[in-house]
Amino acid sequence: MDGHWDGYDSIGGSVPLDLVNTVSWRRDPARREDRLSAPERLSEWIVLVGAGTGRLEISEAVLEAVKDFRETLYRVLTSDPPDVTALRRPLLAAYRHAELTPSLPLRWQVPLVDDTALPHFLALAAEDLLRSGELERIRECEGPGCGWIFTDHTRNRSRRWCSSSDCGNRARAKRHYDKTRV
């Protein structure tokens, strides 16, 4: 992998949140960067987040399907109240391609045998996240323009930034600058 993924961290706490975070500076149009700019970037991302063991040959159609799902998931996670009906079609398609795991508890899975399985794999991973007890801990970074999503695992649920060394550091530096500028 070249430097394309520099500055990207898997901070979401899950594959679906890390997928949403493949758009950097989502809320700042001047700085916005879609890290899934080409099929090979998606293949690299799969390995980067540990969703697959080997690189898949990704078609342009699958890349577009994954990007569409990413934007749908972002809207579901950030809307109030969440419009989960947008997930109906991808989830129905995923269940048509899924298999039951051979043990309890019952769990559906989509093996990543080829690129066409990827949107279904991601849809089921998102469903697992949205069914979990973690929903009230999912937050959007408060950094101006950031838009990254993460799971707040702090005891008092006080995490505000995607990363304390990135957006958190910028906020502290701005606070210090504002205070000393008096």
Side-chain angles (χ1 to χ4, degrees), residues 8-22 45 49 149:
Y8 173 85
D9 290 314
S10 298
I11 60 98
S14 68
V15 170
L17 297 183
D18 288 334
L19 174 66
V20 168
N21 293 342
T22 58
W45 176 81
V49 297
I149 307 288

Side-chain angles (χ1 to χ4, degrees), residues 23-34 74 140-141 143-148 167 170:
V23 175
S24 295
W25 302 107
R26 180 181 289 277
R27 295 190 176 270
D28 183 350
R31 295 170 72 187
R32 184 180 170 111
E33 178 187 358
D34 185 347
Y74 176 76
E140 185 172 13
C141 180
C146 181
W148 273 15
C167 288
R170 274 194 259 306

Side-chain angles (χ1 to χ4, degrees), residues 119-181:
H120 310 304
F121 170 86
L122 294 169
L124 289 183
E127 182 189 34
D128 283 347
L129 173 69
L130 297 173
R131 283 181 185 251
S132 75
E134 300 281 301
L135 285 180
E136 63 278 354
R137 292 184 172 272
I138 295 176
R139 308 256 189 284
E140 185 172 13
C141 180
E142 292 180 16
C146 181
W148 273 15
I149 307 288
F150 58 87
T151 305
D152 180 1
H153 290 292
T154 61
R155 180 178 292 174
N156 63 356
R157 300 180 184 190
S158 61
R159 184 172 166 191
R160 299 174 56 196
W161 303 293
C162 58
S163 168
S164 63
S165 63
D166 192 354
C167 288
N169 189 50
R170 274 194 259 306
R172 287 186 297 277
K174 182 183 180 330
R175 210 170 37 244
H176 175 75
Y177 175 79
D178 291 346
K179 194 178 352 176
T180 59
R181 219 179 87 189

